[in-house]
Amino acid sequence: MNKFYILIYLILFLTVSIYAQNPEWINYGCTPITCTAVEGDDLWIGTNGGGLTKYNKITGERTFYTTSNSGIPDNVILSIAIDNEGIKWIGTSGGLAKFNGTDWVIYNTSNSGLPDNDVWAIAIDNEGNKWIGTYQSGLAKFNGTDWIVYNKSNSGLPDNEIYSLAIDGEGNKWIGTWNGLAKFDGQEWIVYNTANSGLLDNYIRTIAIDNEGNIWIGTNYGGLAK
């Protein structure tokens, strides 16, 4: 009898262990997703041509924002960041959008210091500055009033094509470009590439920083580097 209970226990233990190693996957549609941001129970989802979607993870409610029903300047959404006040900063192919949940403000090359309307990356530092990576015109810093633009001609930036941004715990900006990874502390620039580091590829598509301060770098052709 004891052997029977032991057998049942082992079966249950193995079942739980297998389930823990194989968590449930849930798939949502097939629209090309370009970026996401989490805000409490809401997930903000940028698409390649379908605009912006707000999805409530609890209720399943979806709200769609496109050029036809909102102030968003383009339906190609390239990046999203949310500041401490809950304001959404949305990078599109038609400029940078600021959305407070009701009103839209659009920044582009004709009405602001934004150097390029293709906004591929956004990061927000502890002082509330918005760091904006553009497709062909470098990096912009926006404090809500003034703009500063960094590019190959006036800084240590290795390339004007910016694809990713992340800010570490010390406030260093990590900038993924078409031609290497740049670290900027506000004064000095350090550039990492395949010639001077263990970087696998100079085309940097994405950057993430973990709780231990490790930099995780996704490249276009060489895989993932830590």
Short mmCIF file of all heavy atoms in Angstrom, two decimals, residues 8-75:
data_model
loop_
_atom_site.label_atom_id
_atom_site.label_comp_id
_atom_site.label_asym_id
_atom_site.label_seq_id
_atom_site.Cartn_x
_atom_site.Cartn_y
_atom_site.Cartn_z
N ILE A 8 2.01 7.16 -6.66
CA ILE A 8 1.12 8.28 -6.96
C ILE A 8 1.84 9.61 -6.71
O ILE A 8 1.74 10.56 -7.51
CB ILE A 8 -0.16 8.21 -6.11
CG1 ILE A 8 -0.98 6.95 -6.48
CG2 ILE A 8 -1.01 9.47 -6.29
CD1 ILE A 8 -1.44 6.94 -7.93
N TYR A 9 2.58 9.68 -5.61
CA TYR A 9 3.31 10.91 -5.29
C TYR A 9 4.33 11.23 -6.38
O TYR A 9 4.45 12.38 -6.81
CB TYR A 9 4.01 10.75 -3.94
CG TYR A 9 4.94 11.90 -3.62
CD1 TYR A 9 4.44 13.10 -3.12
CD2 TYR A 9 6.31 11.78 -3.82
CE1 TYR A 9 5.28 14.16 -2.84
CE2 TYR A 9 7.17 12.83 -3.54
CZ TYR A 9 6.65 14.02 -3.05
OH TYR A 9 7.48 15.06 -2.78
N LEU A 10 5.05 10.21 -6.84
CA LEU A 10 6.06 10.42 -7.87
C LEU A 10 5.43 10.90 -9.18
O LEU A 10 5.96 11.78 -9.86
CB LEU A 10 6.86 9.13 -8.11
CG LEU A 10 7.83 8.75 -6.99
CD1 LEU A 10 8.44 7.38 -7.28
CD2 LEU A 10 8.93 9.80 -6.85
N ILE A 11 4.26 10.31 -9.52
CA ILE A 11 3.57 10.73 -10.75
C ILE A 11 3.14 12.19 -10.65
O ILE A 11 3.34 12.98 -11.58
CB ILE A 11 2.36 9.82 -11.02
CG1 ILE A 11 2.83 8.41 -11.39
CG2 ILE A 11 1.49 10.40 -12.13
CD1 ILE A 11 1.71 7.40 -11.48
N LEU A 12 2.57 12.57 -9.50
CA LEU A 12 2.14 13.96 -9.32
C LEU A 12 3.33 14.91 -9.34
O LEU A 12 3.28 15.99 -9.93
CB LEU A 12 1.38 14.10 -7.99
CG LEU A 12 0.00 13.46 -7.94
CD1 LEU A 12 -0.56 13.51 -6.52
CD2 LEU A 12 -0.95 14.14 -8.92
N PHE A 13 4.44 14.48 -8.70
CA PHE A 13 5.64 15.33 -8.66
C PHE A 13 6.19 15.55 -10.06
O PHE A 13 6.53 16.68 -10.44
CB PHE A 13 6.70 14.67 -7.77
CG PHE A 13 8.01 15.41 -7.76
CD1 PHE A 13 8.18 16.55 -6.99
CD2 PHE A 13 9.08 14.95 -8.52
CE1 PHE A 13 9.37 17.24 -6.99
CE2 PHE A 13 10.28 15.64 -8.53
CZ PHE A 13 10.44 16.78 -7.75
N LEU A 14 6.24 14.48 -10.85
CA LEU A 14 6.76 14.59 -12.21
C LEU A 14 5.84 15.45 -13.07
O LEU A 14 6.30 16.24 -13.90
CB LEU A 14 6.92 13.20 -12.83
CG LEU A 14 8.08 12.36 -12.26
CD1 LEU A 14 8.02 10.94 -12.82
CD2 LEU A 14 9.42 13.01 -12.60
N THR A 15 4.52 15.31 -12.85
CA THR A 15 3.57 16.12 -13.63
C THR A 15 3.75 17.60 -13.35
O THR A 15 3.79 18.43 -14.26
CB THR A 15 2.13 15.70 -13.29
OG1 THR A 15 1.96 14.31 -13.59
CG2 THR A 15 1.13 16.53 -14.10
N VAL A 16 3.88 17.95 -12.07
CA VAL A 16 4.09 19.35 -11.70
C VAL A 16 5.41 19.86 -12.24
O VAL A 16 5.51 20.98 -12.75
CB VAL A 16 4.03 19.51 -10.16
CG1 VAL A 16 4.46 20.92 -9.76
CG2 VAL A 16 2.62 19.22 -9.65
N SER A 17 6.45 19.03 -12.17
CA SER A 17 7.77 19.44 -12.65
C SER A 17 7.75 19.68 -14.15
O SER A 17 8.31 20.68 -14.64
CB SER A 17 8.81 18.37 -12.32
OG SER A 17 8.93 18.20 -10.92
N ILE A 18 7.09 18.80 -14.89
CA ILE A 18 7.02 18.95 -16.34
C ILE A 18 6.24 20.21 -16.70
O ILE A 18 6.61 20.97 -17.58
CB ILE A 18 6.38 17.70 -16.98
CG1 ILE A 18 7.33 16.50 -16.84
CG2 ILE A 18 6.05 17.94 -18.45
CD1 ILE A 18 6.70 15.18 -17.24
N TYR A 19 5.13 20.45 -15.97
CA TYR A 19 4.32 21.64 -16.25
C TYR A 19 5.12 22.91 -15.97
O TYR A 19 5.05 23.89 -16.71
CB TYR A 19 3.05 21.62 -15.42
CG TYR A 19 2.17 22.83 -15.65
CD1 TYR A 19 1.34 22.89 -16.77
CD2 TYR A 19 2.20 23.90 -14.77
CE1 TYR A 19 0.54 24.00 -17.00
CE2 TYR A 19 1.40 25.02 -15.00
CZ TYR A 19 0.57 25.05 -16.11
OH TYR A 19 -0.20 26.15 -16.33
N ALA A 20 5.90 22.90 -14.88
CA ALA A 20 6.69 24.08 -14.52
C ALA A 20 7.74 24.38 -15.58
O ALA A 20 8.09 25.54 -15.81
CB ALA A 20 7.35 23.86 -13.16
N GLN A 21 8.25 23.32 -16.22
CA GLN A 21 9.26 23.51 -17.25
C GLN A 21 8.64 23.84 -18.60
O GLN A 21 9.35 24.26 -19.51
CB GLN A 21 10.11 22.24 -17.37
CG GLN A 21 10.91 21.94 -16.11
CD GLN A 21 11.62 20.61 -16.20
OE1 GLN A 21 11.77 20.05 -17.27
NE2 GLN A 21 12.04 20.08 -15.06
N ASN A 22 7.35 23.67 -18.73
CA ASN A 22 6.66 23.93 -19.99
C ASN A 22 5.47 24.84 -19.74
O ASN A 22 4.31 24.38 -19.75
CB ASN A 22 6.21 22.61 -20.64
CG ASN A 22 7.40 21.74 -21.02
OD1 ASN A 22 7.99 21.92 -22.08
ND2 ASN A 22 7.73 20.80 -20.14
N PRO A 23 5.72 26.12 -19.45
CA PRO A 23 4.62 27.03 -19.15
C PRO A 23 3.69 27.21 -20.34
O PRO A 23 4.07 26.99 -21.49
CB PRO A 23 5.32 28.35 -18.81
CG PRO A 23 6.65 28.25 -19.48
CD PRO A 23 7.01 26.81 -19.45
N GLU A 24 2.48 27.65 -20.03
CA GLU A 24 1.47 27.81 -21.07
C GLU A 24 1.79 28.98 -21.99
O GLU A 24 2.20 30.04 -21.55
CB GLU A 24 0.11 28.03 -20.41
CG GLU A 24 -1.03 28.19 -21.41
CD GLU A 24 -2.34 28.48 -20.72
OE1 GLU A 24 -2.34 28.68 -19.50
OE2 GLU A 24 -3.37 28.49 -21.41
N TRP A 25 1.59 28.77 -23.27
CA TRP A 25 1.73 29.83 -24.26
C TRP A 25 0.35 30.21 -24.77
O TRP A 25 -0.48 29.34 -25.05
CB TRP A 25 2.57 29.36 -25.46
CG TRP A 25 4.03 29.20 -25.15
CD1 TRP A 25 4.63 28.16 -24.51
CD2 TRP A 25 5.07 30.11 -25.47
NE1 TRP A 25 5.97 28.35 -24.42
CE2 TRP A 25 6.29 29.54 -25.00
CE3 TRP A 25 5.12 31.35 -26.12
CZ2 TRP A 25 7.52 30.17 -25.15
CZ3 TRP A 25 6.34 31.97 -26.27
CH2 TRP A 25 7.52 31.39 -25.79
N ILE A 26 0.11 31.51 -24.86
CA ILE A 26 -1.15 32.00 -25.44
C ILE A 26 -0.80 32.92 -26.59
O ILE A 26 0.01 33.84 -26.44
CB ILE A 26 -1.98 32.76 -24.39
CG1 ILE A 26 -2.29 31.86 -23.20
CG2 ILE A 26 -3.27 33.27 -25.02
CD1 ILE A 26 -3.00 32.57 -22.07
N ASN A 27 -1.37 32.67 -27.74
CA ASN A 27 -1.08 33.47 -28.92
C ASN A 27 -2.25 34.41 -29.23
O ASN A 27 -3.41 34.05 -29.11
CB ASN A 27 -0.81 32.57 -30.13
CG ASN A 27 0.42 31.72 -29.93
OD1 ASN A 27 1.41 32.18 -29.38
ND2 ASN A 27 0.35 30.46 -30.35
N TYR A 28 -1.90 35.62 -29.66
CA TYR A 28 -2.91 36.63 -29.97
C TYR A 28 -2.72 37.11 -31.41
O TYR A 28 -1.81 37.88 -31.70
CB TYR A 28 -2.77 37.84 -29.04
CG TYR A 28 -2.95 37.49 -27.57
CD1 TYR A 28 -1.86 37.11 -26.80
CD2 TYR A 28 -4.19 37.57 -26.96
CE1 TYR A 28 -2.01 36.81 -25.45
CE2 TYR A 28 -4.36 37.27 -25.62
CZ TYR A 28 -3.26 36.88 -24.87
OH TYR A 28 -3.42 36.58 -23.54
N GLY A 29 -3.52 36.64 -32.31
CA GLY A 29 -3.55 37.16 -33.67
C GLY A 29 -2.25 36.97 -34.43
O GLY A 29 -1.33 36.26 -34.00
N CYS A 30 -2.18 37.64 -35.58
CA CYS A 30 -1.02 37.45 -36.45
C CYS A 30 -0.50 38.76 -37.02
O CYS A 30 0.27 38.77 -37.97
CB CYS A 30 -1.36 36.49 -37.60
SG CYS A 30 -2.74 37.06 -38.62
N THR A 31 -0.93 39.91 -36.47
CA THR A 31 -0.46 41.20 -36.94
C THR A 31 1.02 41.37 -36.61
O THR A 31 1.45 41.03 -35.51
CB THR A 31 -1.25 42.34 -36.26
OG1 THR A 31 -2.63 42.17 -36.58
CG2 THR A 31 -0.79 43.70 -36.73
N PRO A 32 1.85 41.87 -37.53
CA PRO A 32 3.28 42.08 -37.23
C PRO A 32 3.44 43.07 -36.07
O PRO A 32 2.99 44.21 -36.14
CB PRO A 32 3.83 42.66 -38.53
CG PRO A 32 2.88 42.21 -39.59
CD PRO A 32 1.54 42.17 -38.94
N ILE A 33 4.08 42.61 -34.99
CA ILE A 33 4.29 43.42 -33.80
C ILE A 33 5.70 44.01 -33.84
O ILE A 33 6.68 43.28 -34.02
CB ILE A 33 4.12 42.59 -32.51
CG1 ILE A 33 2.75 41.89 -32.51
CG2 ILE A 33 4.30 43.46 -31.29
CD1 ILE A 33 1.57 42.80 -32.55
N THR A 34 5.80 45.31 -33.64
CA THR A 34 7.10 45.98 -33.69
C THR A 34 7.63 46.35 -32.31
O THR A 34 8.85 46.42 -32.12
CB THR A 34 7.00 47.26 -34.53
OG1 THR A 34 5.94 48.07 -34.01
CG2 THR A 34 6.71 46.93 -35.98
N CYS A 35 6.74 46.59 -31.34
CA CYS A 35 7.18 47.02 -30.02
C CYS A 35 6.03 46.85 -29.02
O CYS A 35 4.86 46.81 -29.40
CB CYS A 35 7.66 48.47 -30.03
SG CYS A 35 6.47 49.63 -30.77
N THR A 36 6.39 46.77 -27.74
CA THR A 36 5.39 46.66 -26.68
C THR A 36 5.85 47.44 -25.46
O THR A 36 7.04 47.69 -25.27
CB THR A 36 5.16 45.19 -26.25
OG1 THR A 36 6.41 44.63 -25.82
CG2 THR A 36 4.59 44.36 -27.39
N ALA A 37 4.90 47.84 -24.63
CA ALA A 37 5.20 48.47 -23.34
C ALA A 37 4.11 48.09 -22.36
O ALA A 37 2.93 48.01 -22.73
CB ALA A 37 5.28 49.99 -23.49
N VAL A 38 4.48 47.85 -21.11
CA VAL A 38 3.53 47.43 -20.08
C VAL A 38 3.26 48.60 -19.15
O VAL A 38 4.18 49.29 -18.68
CB VAL A 38 4.08 46.24 -19.28
CG1 VAL A 38 3.11 45.85 -18.17
CG2 VAL A 38 4.32 45.05 -20.20
N GLU A 39 1.97 48.83 -18.87
CA GLU A 39 1.54 49.87 -17.94
C GLU A 39 0.44 49.30 -17.05
O GLU A 39 -0.73 49.29 -17.41
CB GLU A 39 1.02 51.09 -18.71
CG GLU A 39 0.63 52.24 -17.80
CD GLU A 39 -0.03 53.39 -18.57
OE1 GLU A 39 -0.63 53.12 -19.64
OE2 GLU A 39 0.05 54.53 -18.09
N GLY A 40 0.82 48.79 -15.88
CA GLY A 40 -0.16 48.16 -15.00
C GLY A 40 -0.81 46.97 -15.68
O GLY A 40 -0.13 46.05 -16.13
N ASP A 41 -2.13 46.99 -15.76
CA ASP A 41 -2.86 45.90 -16.41
C ASP A 41 -2.94 46.05 -17.92
O ASP A 41 -3.47 45.17 -18.61
CB ASP A 41 -4.29 45.81 -15.85
CG ASP A 41 -4.31 45.35 -14.40
OD1 ASP A 41 -3.35 44.67 -13.99
OD2 ASP A 41 -5.26 45.70 -13.68
N ASP A 42 -2.44 47.17 -18.43
CA ASP A 42 -2.53 47.43 -19.86
C ASP A 42 -1.22 47.11 -20.58
O ASP A 42 -0.14 47.38 -20.08
CB ASP A 42 -2.89 48.89 -20.13
CG ASP A 42 -4.30 49.24 -19.70
OD1 ASP A 42 -5.17 48.36 -19.81
OD2 ASP A 42 -4.52 50.37 -19.24
N LEU A 43 -1.39 46.55 -21.75
CA LEU A 43 -0.27 46.29 -22.64
C LEU A 43 -0.45 47.15 -23.89
O LEU A 43 -1.49 47.09 -24.55
CB LEU A 43 -0.23 44.81 -23.03
CG LEU A 43 0.90 44.35 -23.96
CD1 LEU A 43 2.24 44.52 -23.28
CD2 LEU A 43 0.68 42.89 -24.37
N TRP A 44 0.55 47.98 -24.17
CA TRP A 44 0.51 48.83 -25.36
C TRP A 44 1.32 48.13 -26.45
O TRP A 44 2.46 47.75 -26.23
CB TRP A 44 1.08 50.20 -25.05
CG TRP A 44 0.21 50.99 -24.11
CD1 TRP A 44 0.22 50.93 -22.74
CD2 TRP A 44 -0.81 51.92 -24.47
NE1 TRP A 44 -0.74 51.76 -22.22
CE2 TRP A 44 -1.38 52.39 -23.26
CE3 TRP A 44 -1.29 52.40 -25.68
CZ2 TRP A 44 -2.42 53.32 -23.24
CZ3 TRP A 44 -2.32 53.34 -25.66
CH2 TRP A 44 -2.88 53.79 -24.46
N ILE A 45 0.69 47.99 -27.61
CA ILE A 45 1.26 47.16 -28.68
C ILE A 45 1.37 47.99 -29.96
O ILE A 45 0.36 48.50 -30.47
CB ILE A 45 0.37 45.93 -28.94
CG1 ILE A 45 0.14 45.15 -27.64
CG2 ILE A 45 0.97 45.04 -30.02
CD1 ILE A 45 -1.02 44.20 -27.70
N GLY A 46 2.57 48.10 -30.47
CA GLY A 46 2.78 48.79 -31.74
C GLY A 46 2.86 47.80 -32.88
O GLY A 46 3.45 46.72 -32.74
N THR A 47 2.25 48.14 -33.99
CA THR A 47 2.22 47.24 -35.14
C THR A 47 2.85 47.89 -36.37
O THR A 47 3.02 49.11 -36.42
CB THR A 47 0.78 46.82 -35.48
OG1 THR A 47 0.08 47.95 -36.04
CG2 THR A 47 0.04 46.33 -34.25
N ASN A 48 3.14 47.08 -37.32
CA ASN A 48 3.73 47.54 -38.57
C ASN A 48 2.63 47.81 -39.60
O ASN A 48 2.37 47.00 -40.47
CB ASN A 48 4.73 46.51 -39.11
CG ASN A 48 5.46 46.99 -40.34
OD1 ASN A 48 5.48 48.19 -40.63
ND2 ASN A 48 6.05 46.07 -41.07
N GLY A 49 1.97 48.96 -39.42
CA GLY A 49 0.93 49.35 -40.37
C GLY A 49 -0.47 49.31 -39.82
O GLY A 49 -1.40 49.85 -40.44
N GLY A 50 -0.65 48.71 -38.64
CA GLY A 50 -1.98 48.61 -38.06
C GLY A 50 -2.22 49.57 -36.92
O GLY A 50 -3.24 49.47 -36.23
N GLY A 51 -1.29 50.48 -36.67
CA GLY A 51 -1.45 51.45 -35.60
C GLY A 51 -1.07 50.90 -34.24
O GLY A 51 -0.28 49.96 -34.12
N LEU A 52 -1.67 51.50 -33.22
CA LEU A 52 -1.37 51.20 -31.82
C LEU A 52 -2.58 50.55 -31.16
O LEU A 52 -3.72 50.99 -31.39
CB LEU A 52 -1.01 52.50 -31.10
CG LEU A 52 -0.69 52.44 -29.62
CD1 LEU A 52 0.64 51.73 -29.39
CD2 LEU A 52 -0.64 53.86 -29.04
N THR A 53 -2.33 49.54 -30.34
CA THR A 53 -3.41 48.87 -29.61
C THR A 53 -3.12 48.90 -28.12
O THR A 53 -2.01 48.63 -27.69
CB THR A 53 -3.57 47.41 -30.05
OG1 THR A 53 -3.88 47.36 -31.45
CG2 THR A 53 -4.67 46.71 -29.28
N LYS A 54 -4.16 49.24 -27.33
CA LYS A 54 -4.09 49.07 -25.88
C LYS A 54 -4.90 47.83 -25.51
O LYS A 54 -6.09 47.74 -25.82
CB LYS A 54 -4.65 50.30 -25.16
CG LYS A 54 -4.56 50.17 -23.63
CD LYS A 54 -5.01 51.44 -22.91
CE LYS A 54 -6.51 51.59 -22.92
NZ LYS A 54 -6.97 52.67 -22.01
N TYR A 55 -4.26 46.87 -24.87
CA TYR A 55 -4.90 45.61 -24.51
C TYR A 55 -4.89 45.44 -23.00
O TYR A 55 -3.83 45.48 -22.37
CB TYR A 55 -4.17 44.44 -25.18
CG TYR A 55 -4.66 43.08 -24.75
CD1 TYR A 55 -5.87 42.60 -25.20
CD2 TYR A 55 -3.89 42.29 -23.89
CE1 TYR A 55 -6.34 41.36 -24.78
CE2 TYR A 55 -4.35 41.05 -23.48
CZ TYR A 55 -5.56 40.58 -23.93
OH TYR A 55 -6.02 39.35 -23.53
N ASN A 56 -6.07 45.30 -22.41
CA ASN A 56 -6.17 45.07 -20.98
C ASN A 56 -6.02 43.57 -20.70
O ASN A 56 -6.82 42.76 -21.17
CB ASN A 56 -7.51 45.57 -20.42
CG ASN A 56 -7.55 45.51 -18.92
OD1 ASN A 56 -7.72 44.44 -18.34
ND2 ASN A 56 -7.39 46.65 -18.28
N LYS A 57 -5.00 43.21 -19.95
CA LYS A 57 -4.67 41.80 -19.72
C LYS A 57 -5.70 41.10 -18.83
O LYS A 57 -5.78 39.87 -18.85
CB LYS A 57 -3.28 41.69 -19.09
CG LYS A 57 -2.17 42.18 -19.99
CD LYS A 57 -0.83 42.12 -19.28
CE LYS A 57 -0.75 43.15 -18.16
NZ LYS A 57 0.58 43.11 -17.47
N ILE A 58 -6.47 41.87 -18.06
CA ILE A 58 -7.46 41.28 -17.16
C ILE A 58 -8.79 41.07 -17.86
O ILE A 58 -9.38 39.99 -17.82
CB ILE A 58 -7.65 42.16 -15.91
CG1 ILE A 58 -6.30 42.42 -15.22
CG2 ILE A 58 -8.63 41.50 -14.95
CD1 ILE A 58 -5.56 41.17 -14.80
N THR A 59 -9.28 42.12 -18.50
CA THR A 59 -10.61 42.06 -19.12
C THR A 59 -10.57 41.61 -20.58
O THR A 59 -11.59 41.18 -21.12
CB THR A 59 -11.28 43.43 -19.06
OG1 THR A 59 -10.54 44.35 -19.89
CG2 THR A 59 -11.32 43.96 -17.63
N GLY A 60 -9.41 41.73 -21.22
CA GLY A 60 -9.32 41.41 -22.63
C GLY A 60 -9.79 42.53 -23.54
O GLY A 60 -9.80 42.38 -24.77
N GLU A 61 -10.17 43.66 -22.96
CA GLU A 61 -10.65 44.78 -23.77
C GLU A 61 -9.52 45.36 -24.61
O GLU A 61 -8.39 45.51 -24.14
CB GLU A 61 -11.22 45.86 -22.86
CG GLU A 61 -11.76 47.07 -23.61
CD GLU A 61 -12.26 48.16 -22.69
OE1 GLU A 61 -12.20 47.96 -21.46
OE2 GLU A 61 -12.73 49.20 -23.19
N ARG A 62 -9.84 45.71 -25.85
CA ARG A 62 -8.84 46.29 -26.75
C ARG A 62 -9.32 47.65 -27.26
O ARG A 62 -10.49 47.81 -27.59
CB ARG A 62 -8.60 45.36 -27.94
CG ARG A 62 -8.15 43.97 -27.54
CD ARG A 62 -7.81 43.11 -28.73
NE ARG A 62 -7.58 41.73 -28.35
CZ ARG A 62 -7.03 40.82 -29.14
NH1 ARG A 62 -6.69 41.14 -30.38
NH2 ARG A 62 -6.84 39.59 -28.72
N THR A 63 -8.38 48.58 -27.30
CA THR A 63 -8.65 49.90 -27.87
C THR A 63 -7.64 50.13 -28.98
O THR A 63 -6.44 49.96 -28.76
CB THR A 63 -8.53 51.01 -26.81
OG1 THR A 63 -9.37 50.69 -25.71
CG2 THR A 63 -8.94 52.35 -27.39
N PHE A 64 -8.13 50.51 -30.15
CA PHE A 64 -7.27 50.67 -31.31
C PHE A 64 -7.11 52.15 -31.66
O PHE A 64 -8.08 52.90 -31.69
CB PHE A 64 -7.85 49.92 -32.52
CG PHE A 64 -8.02 48.45 -32.28
CD1 PHE A 64 -9.25 47.94 -31.87
CD2 PHE A 64 -6.96 47.57 -32.46
CE1 PHE A 64 -9.42 46.58 -31.65
CE2 PHE A 64 -7.12 46.21 -32.25
CZ PHE A 64 -8.35 45.71 -31.84
N TYR A 65 -5.87 52.55 -31.90
CA TYR A 65 -5.57 53.92 -32.31
C TYR A 65 -4.90 53.89 -33.67
O TYR A 65 -3.84 53.26 -33.84
CB TYR A 65 -4.64 54.58 -31.30
CG TYR A 65 -5.17 54.62 -29.88
CD1 TYR A 65 -4.87 53.59 -28.98
CD2 TYR A 65 -5.97 55.67 -29.44
CE1 TYR A 65 -5.36 53.62 -27.68
CE2 TYR A 65 -6.46 55.70 -28.13
CZ TYR A 65 -6.14 54.67 -27.27
OH TYR A 65 -6.62 54.69 -25.98
N THR A 66 -5.51 54.56 -34.63
CA THR A 66 -4.94 54.66 -35.97
C THR A 66 -5.05 56.11 -36.44
O THR A 66 -5.60 56.97 -35.74
CB THR A 66 -5.68 53.75 -36.97
OG1 THR A 66 -7.02 54.25 -37.15
CG2 THR A 66 -5.73 52.31 -36.49
N THR A 67 -4.53 56.37 -37.62
CA THR A 67 -4.61 57.73 -38.16
C THR A 67 -6.05 58.15 -38.45
O THR A 67 -6.34 59.34 -38.54
CB THR A 67 -3.78 57.84 -39.45
OG1 THR A 67 -4.22 56.83 -40.38
CG2 THR A 67 -2.30 57.65 -39.16
N SER A 68 -6.94 57.20 -38.57
CA SER A 68 -8.33 57.53 -38.89
C SER A 68 -9.18 57.84 -37.68
O SER A 68 -10.24 58.46 -37.80
CB SER A 68 -8.98 56.38 -39.68
OG SER A 68 -9.04 55.21 -38.89
N ASN A 69 -8.75 57.44 -36.47
CA ASN A 69 -9.60 57.68 -35.29
C ASN A 69 -8.86 58.35 -34.14
O ASN A 69 -9.41 58.46 -33.04
CB ASN A 69 -10.22 56.36 -34.81
CG ASN A 69 -9.22 55.40 -34.21
OD1 ASN A 69 -8.01 55.67 -34.16
ND2 ASN A 69 -9.71 54.26 -33.75
N SER A 70 -7.63 58.80 -34.39
CA SER A 70 -6.86 59.43 -33.31
C SER A 70 -5.87 60.42 -33.90
O SER A 70 -5.81 60.61 -35.11
CB SER A 70 -6.12 58.36 -32.50
OG SER A 70 -5.01 57.85 -33.24
N GLY A 71 -5.06 61.01 -33.03
CA GLY A 71 -4.07 61.97 -33.49
C GLY A 71 -2.73 61.36 -33.83
O GLY A 71 -1.76 62.09 -34.07
N ILE A 72 -2.67 60.05 -33.86
CA ILE A 72 -1.40 59.40 -34.17
C ILE A 72 -0.98 59.74 -35.61
O ILE A 72 -1.81 59.73 -36.51
CB ILE A 72 -1.50 57.88 -33.94
CG1 ILE A 72 -0.14 57.29 -33.67
CG2 ILE A 72 -2.18 57.17 -35.07
CD1 ILE A 72 -0.20 55.92 -33.05
N PRO A 73 0.29 60.07 -35.86
CA PRO A 73 0.67 60.58 -37.18
C PRO A 73 0.90 59.53 -38.24
O PRO A 73 0.93 59.85 -39.43
CB PRO A 73 1.97 61.35 -36.90
CG PRO A 73 2.56 60.65 -35.72
CD PRO A 73 1.40 60.20 -34.89
N ASP A 74 1.08 58.28 -37.83
CA ASP A 74 1.34 57.22 -38.81
C ASP A 74 0.96 55.88 -38.20
O ASP A 74 1.04 55.70 -36.98
CB ASP A 74 2.83 57.22 -39.20
CG ASP A 74 3.09 56.45 -40.48
OD1 ASP A 74 3.16 55.20 -40.43
OD2 ASP A 74 3.24 57.08 -41.54
N ASN A 75 0.55 54.93 -39.03
CA ASN A 75 0.15 53.62 -38.54
C ASN A 75 1.30 52.64 -38.38
O ASN A 75 1.10 51.53 -37.89
CB ASN A 75 -0.92 53.01 -39.46
CG ASN A 75 -2.26 53.70 -39.32
OD1 ASN A 75 -2.61 54.20 -38.25
ND2 ASN A 75 -3.01 53.75 -40.41
#
